[in-house]
Amino acid sequence: TLTTSANGSASGSAFTTQPIITIKDTFGNIVTTSTASVTMTVSGNGTTVGTTTVNAVAGVATFTDVGISGTAGTSYTLTFTSGSLTTATQTITPTFGLPTQATLSTSAAGSASGSAFTTQPVITIKDASGNTVTTSTASVTMTVSTGATTVGTATVNAVNGIATFTNVGISGAAGTAYTLTFTSTGLTSATQSI
């Protein structure tokens, strides 16, 4: 029986309220001698994080660091199994997790040397599961590989997890390929060739 439901489900992190499963007999009494192993799984394309199998102590299986990783806003079913015992289930909808990466949503294009790109780059701040972290205001900086320099405003702050450049470009030798790198402190960077 699911005694305490999981709650606080940021994708990729442990639940803030951990699930507790109670082993009961057919009359609804706790089987205090049970040390049964209980395993949590998640439906769909979600994945589990943390220790997903725990042993009951005096008939109570208490998870301590379990969570799920999945698409924010999508409902998943948690299933708790223990051998031939009746399974317990719960639905839960994760929110976005902590920001881990800067991803290129729109590539820069239209690269006349010394001018702003005609298509400006857009960077999305995402968690480890690829969810946009809509609370992020991270500062994102564009740099260019050796042999060229940036023009325009090369650092912008994300709004709702999206960093939109408005007047950035590069100055370099015509016909030469350069690499643009988009960085934000503590996040995996994004790159693009142009």
Side-chain angles (χ1 to χ4, degrees):
T1 301
L2 183 61
T3 308
T4 301
S5 296
N7 200 357
S9 57
S11 182
S13 299
F15 300 128
T16 55
T17 300
Q18 290 288 303
I20 298 174
I21 304 297
T22 303
I23 309 300
K24 294 185 177 180
D25 64 19
T26 55
F27 301 107
N29 302 309
I30 297 173
V31 181
T32 58
T33 57
S34 177
T35 59
S37 173
V38 178
T39 299
M40 185 192 87
T41 57
V42 62
S43 64
N45 65 349
T47 57
T48 55
V49 296
T51 306
T52 58
T53 299
V54 297
N55 291 325
V57 174
V60 179
T62 303
F63 290 84
T64 58
D65 67 348
V66 75
I68 64 170
S69 184
T71 304
T74 299
S75 182
Y76 293 94
T77 299
L78 304 179
T79 302
F80 302 90
T81 57
S82 181
S84 62
L85 299 177
T86 303
T87 61
T89 61
Q90 167 194 351
T91 58
I92 196 161
T93 304
T95 59
F96 55 82
L98 297 173
T100 61
Q101 57 189 315
T103 61
L104 188 62
S105 302
T106 302
S107 297
S111 56
S113 182
S115 299
F117 299 124
T118 55
T119 300
Q120 290 288 300
V122 177
I123 302 298
T124 302
I125 308 302
K126 295 186 176 184
D127 67 12
S129 298
N131 299 304
T132 301
V133 180
T134 58
T135 57
S136 177
T137 58
S139 176
V140 178
T141 300
M142 185 192 86
T143 57
V144 63
S145 55
T146 304
T149 57
T150 59
V151 296
T153 306
T155 299
V156 297
N157 290 326
V159 175
N160 298 325
I162 310 272
T164 304
F165 290 84
T166 57
N167 66 350
V168 74
I170 61 171
S171 180
T176 302
Y178 295 102
T179 299
L180 303 178
T181 303
F182 301 90
T183 58
S184 184
T185 303
L187 305 180
T188 302
S189 299
T191 59
Q192 168 195 350
S193 294
I194 194 161

